[in-house]
Amino acid sequence: MFFKKAIIGGSGAVLSRYARLSHPVQCAIGWVVAASLMLAVAFPAAAQAAKAAPAAQPARTVLVMGDSLSAGYGLAASQGWVSLTADRIAKTKPGWRVVNASISGETTAGGASRIDGELKRNKPAVVVIELGANDGLRGLPLAQSRANLDRMITASKKSGAKVLLIGMRMPPNLGREYTQGFSDNYSALAKQHGVALLPFLLEPIATDRTAFQDDNLHPVASAQPKLRDHVWTQLAPLLR
């Protein structure tokens, strides 16, 4: 009898301890089940939200095709008007970027030979063409320069890009006929193609000798913000 009671008593003690332990265990199991249910509900909702969220759009590109005036000849990389324009765009025009494909010494022929590759590589929304100064300084035929610029504008527009054509002027020692014809090339092409035109890049500083380096051709660093602001008058409307 004692043996039997001991077993029963032992079982009762075990059952009693189990009863005391079972409540927190059941609570813990309950929390696990509840959490599982919450995750089961949350994951499909999160997946649905991710699916519904629009994909980030790639940045639209401004491609600059220029010569040493745009390449920042004699300046630190961050000082040229193109770099300053890129900084302004980064701060004021989210979703845009600038690619400077300018090369010192570039002619309109060089730009015309490179335009297709640059368009394919960068897929720009806006193309800024600042070329011709080296053609004029070498006295190259005006018809040749015009044909090269025409090819660049045509290719850019065909790719779907807007175009800003930036003009230059030649010193009077090249003769009135040549200098006038040189300037007229830009206005005629802009009118022919219906593109934006900045007639003379250096207009804000042209009469200020201190704004140029010792070669009297390339602007100094302190003049670059004026060029940036000058170009911006025609570029900003194209970034809408």
Side-chain angles (χ1 to χ4, degrees), residues 49-133:
K51 184 177 180 181
Q57 294 298 315
R60 289 179 289 178
T61 299
V62 176
L63 172 66
V64 181
M65 299 284 292
D67 49 35
S68 57
L69 296 173
S70 297
Y73 176 86
L75 306 174
S78 61
Q79 294 178 318
W81 72 264
V82 177
S83 293
L84 296 178
T85 298
D87 291 341
R88 175 174 287 180
I89 285 177
K91 294 174 182 176
T92 64
K93 299 290 181 180
W96 285 87
R97 66 172 187 144
V98 175
V99 172
N100 192 359
S102 302
I103 299 176
S104 292
E106 184 74 294
T107 61
T108 59
S113 70
R114 291 194 299 122
I115 188 64
D116 289 336
E118 295 293 347
L119 291 173
K120 183 178 180 180
R121 184 179 305 108
N122 296 294
K123 298 178 174 55
V126 175
V127 177
V128 178
I129 301 173
E130 180 277 302
L131 286 170

Side-chain angles (χ1 to χ4, degrees), residues 81 84 201 204-205 208 211 222-231:
W81 72 264
L84 296 178
L201 173 64
I205 62 171
D208 182 4
S222 61
Q224 298 296 322
K226 294 181 179 179
L227 301 183
R228 173 202 60 197
D229 294 345
H230 186 45
V231 172

Side-chain angles (χ1 to χ4, degrees), residues 20-235:
R20 288 196 302 270
L21 293 172
S22 65
H23 180 66
V25 170
Q26 289 169 354
C27 288
I29 294 173
W31 279 108
V32 170
V33 172
S36 299
L37 291 173
M38 290 174 66
L39 289 174
V41 172
F43 279 154
Q48 187 67 24
K51 184 177 180 181
Q57 294 298 315
R60 289 179 289 178
T61 299
V62 176
L63 172 66
V64 181
M65 299 284 292
D67 49 35
S68 57
L69 296 173
S70 297
Y73 176 86
L75 306 174
S78 61
Q79 294 178 318
W81 72 264
V82 177
S83 293
L84 296 178
T85 298
D87 291 341
R88 175 174 287 180
I89 285 177
K91 294 174 182 176
T92 64
K93 299 290 181 180
W96 285 87
R97 66 172 187 144
V98 175
V99 172
N100 192 359
S102 302
I103 299 176
S104 292
E106 184 74 294
T107 61
T108 59
S113 70
R114 291 194 299 122
I115 188 64
D116 289 336
E118 295 293 347
L119 291 173
K120 183 178 180 180
R121 184 179 305 108
N122 296 294
K123 298 178 174 55
V126 175
V127 177
V128 178
I129 301 173
E130 180 277 302
L131 286 170
N134 290 311
D135 294 41
L137 292 175
R138 298 174 188 180
L140 298 180
L142 295 176
Q144 178 180 324
S145 296
R146 177 167 174 164
N148 292 331
L149 290 172
D150 180 85
R151 166 155 169 46
M152 295 183 71
I153 296 170
T154 299
S156 299
K157 291 183 64 179
K158 187 176 180 180
S159 75
K162 299 176 183 178
V163 175
L164 170 57
L165 181 62
I166 298 181
M168 281 297 297
R169 292 178 185 169
M170 289 294 105
N173 62 298
L174 293 176
R176 178 176 175 79
E177 182 178 354
Y178 188 88
T179 57
Q180 186 62 51
F182 184 90
S183 179
D184 289 346
N185 266 351
Y186 295 100
S187 56
L189 284 168
K191 183 177 181 180
Q192 174 188 336
H193 289 282
V195 300
L197 172 68
L198 188 76
F200 184 28
L201 173 64
L202 302 179
E203 184 174 357
I205 62 171
T207 60
D208 182 4
R209 176 64 186 87
T210 65
F212 291 86
Q213 299 176 38
D214 291 340
D215 60 12
N216 204 29
L217 294 172
H218 300 96
V220 296
S222 61
Q224 298 296 322
K226 294 181 179 179
L227 301 183
R228 173 202 60 197
D229 294 345
H230 186 45
V231 172
W232 190 254
T233 62
Q234 296 300 317
L235 178 59

